[in-house]
Structures are given as structure tokens and as C-alpha cells.
Amino acid sequence: MIDDHLVVDTPGDREIVLSRMFDAPARLVFAAFTRPELLVRWYGARGWRLVECQVDLRVGGPWRFVSQGPDGQLMGQSGHYRQIEPPHRLVYTELFDDQSYPGETVVDQEFTELAGRTTVTTTLRFATPGGRDTALRYPMARGVTESYIRLAGLLATTPGAEL
């Protein structure tokens, strides 16, 4: 049985750590997080979809996502890649267009494979403790859970040769 439950932890006053296991090797999961043609198939909470997805996957390269919600509202976010170690690690900055807390967030994603299954551990490090607290008040865990359910479905139905 695969543990598909999202685990949320707050190890420090500026961090949120999200973790979930996927029934797929790290190279496939990493591809799903870095290839626009795959990201548009899973990224976003229920009712949301990517309408813009730009990825310049190189250190210093920019990325930008614009999601559209069920009522047509748009949410943009962007940043720059800091570290890329396929298929094990991805580090980048994140800033929302209409962000309600100060500063950039540093996102550190680790892809740990064991017996063909991959755990994705995402550490969000906010610029301030207040920024982290603000993010915790949003339905982030629900949105990530719904998004990861879509990702698990994509990984289950897409042959590895396609990724």
C-alpha cells in the first residue's frame, strides 16, 4: 500500500515542510515537476489549471506559472532556479503576483527514491516568520493534496517512456 497522505510539518518559525510518496521512480516524478507539458496536466488544486507555464530549467533560469480558478480568477507566481540536480533535487525562489506576505520564498524539493517509489519533500523557507504564518492560514495543504492526487493519477496512467 502506498502512503498517499500529505504530511505537513513546521520545524522552524520560517519553514513549512510538505511530504508525500508517489508510486513512480524519481526520474519520472522529477520530470513531472519540471516539464511544462506535464505540469499543465496536474498542477493546481481542484478547479484550477495552469494557463501559462514557462520553465527555463537552468541555474538562474526563470519560471512562471499562471493558474486560472473556477470563477476565472488568475493567480501568478514566478521565480528563478537556484539548484538543479536531476532527478534528486530542485531549489528555486517563489513570489506570487499578489502576495500577502513579504519577501521571496525559497523552495527546496527533494526526490528520494526507494524500491521504485519516490517521496517528494518540499521545504518552503519564508523570508519572515509572519510570512510563514500567513501561508499556513491559507488552504495550502488542501490545494497541494488535490494537486498531488492529480499528479499520482498522471504518473499511474502515463507510461515511463513518455516522461
Side-chain angles (χ1 to χ4, degrees):
M1 179 71 185
I2 301 298
D3 180 8
D4 62 1
H5 179 72
L6 180 70
V7 176
V8 180
D9 192 18
T10 53
D13 66 353
R14 291 175 45 200
E15 292 92 22
I16 300 173
V17 178
L18 310 166
S19 183
R20 186 190 191 275
M21 182 182 289
F22 294 94
D23 192 15
R27 69 176 181 82
L28 301 183
V29 180
F30 188 88
F33 274 81
T34 57
R35 292 180 40 195
E37 68 272 18
L38 298 173
L39 281 158
V40 299
R41 294 173 57 189
W42 70 269
Y43 189 91
R46 188 178 307 118
W48 288 81
R49 65 185 179 89
L50 282 178
V51 294
E52 181 181 333
C53 182
Q54 299 172 10
V55 173
D56 183 357
L57 193 62
R58 61 185 172 84
V59 173
W63 66 273
R64 178 158 176 79
F65 298 167
V66 177
S67 300
Q68 185 173 33
D71 297 326
Q73 65 269 40
L74 297 175
M75 178 178 65
Q77 61 196 104
S78 59
H80 290 86
Y81 292 103
R82 289 188 170 180
Q83 190 173 351
I84 303 164
E85 298 174 21
H88 306 292
R89 192 163 185 215
L90 191 61
V91 180
Y92 53 91
T93 59
E94 177 183 72
L95 187 65
F96 287 87
D97 292 355
D98 297 320
Q99 189 158 293
S100 59
Y101 48 86
E104 284 186 322
T105 300
V106 176
V107 180
D108 187 337
Q109 293 180 311
E110 292 185 21
F111 303 82
T112 306
E113 183 177 339
L114 181 62
R117 298 173 176 159
T118 302
T119 298
V120 177
T121 303
T122 303
T123 301
L124 305 163
R125 183 163 177 82
F126 294 84
T128 66
R132 189 218 51 180
D133 293 346
T134 297
L136 284 171
R137 286 193 291 272
Y138 293 133
M140 175 181 53
R142 177 185 55 83
V144 171
T145 295
E146 292 172 358
S147 191
Y148 279 4
I149 289 169
R150 292 170 63 190
L151 173 57
L154 171 67
L155 293 167
T157 59
T158 304
E162 291 183 29
L163 296 180

